[in-house]
Amino acid sequence: MFDAVFALVHPRDINFLNRIMESYEYLGVVTNVGKKGLVMIRTTPDTYQEVLDILLTLPIQVDIV
């Protein structure tokens, strides 16, 4: 089972992404992995797909890796 989503976002958008996840009552927890915009969003097996769906509809560029 999957328990994390790795994504690349522009570094200036990391706070925005974190606030979005917080607004979904921590559906996923955002952790900075690198200085170039790599983030890990910790999920549960039950919320993994929902987090992916949210990421793909945000008004910022999010590349799933």
Side-chain angles (χ1 to χ4, degrees):
M1 283 284 147
F2 302 108
D3 59 352
V5 176
F6 288 88
L8 282 170
V9 297
H10 194 282
R12 71 171 178 251
D13 295 327
I14 292 173
N15 186 50
F16 173 76
L17 177 61
N18 187 48
R19 298 293 182 211
I20 294 294
M21 288 295 112
E22 286 177 357
S23 73
Y24 280 98
E25 297 188 14
Y26 294 99
L27 191 65
V29 178
V30 178
T31 303
N32 233 359
V33 178
K35 294 181 180 179
K36 301 208 180 213
L38 181 63
V39 295
M40 175 179 67
I41 304 162
R42 288 177 279 157
T43 68
T44 66
D46 293 341
T47 61
Y48 180 84
Q49 187 59 51
E50 193 169 354
V51 168
L52 278 180
D53 293 343
I54 292 167
L55 292 175
L56 296 175
T57 59
L58 291 176
I60 60 172
Q61 182 171 347
V62 178
D63 297 319
I64 307 300
V65 291

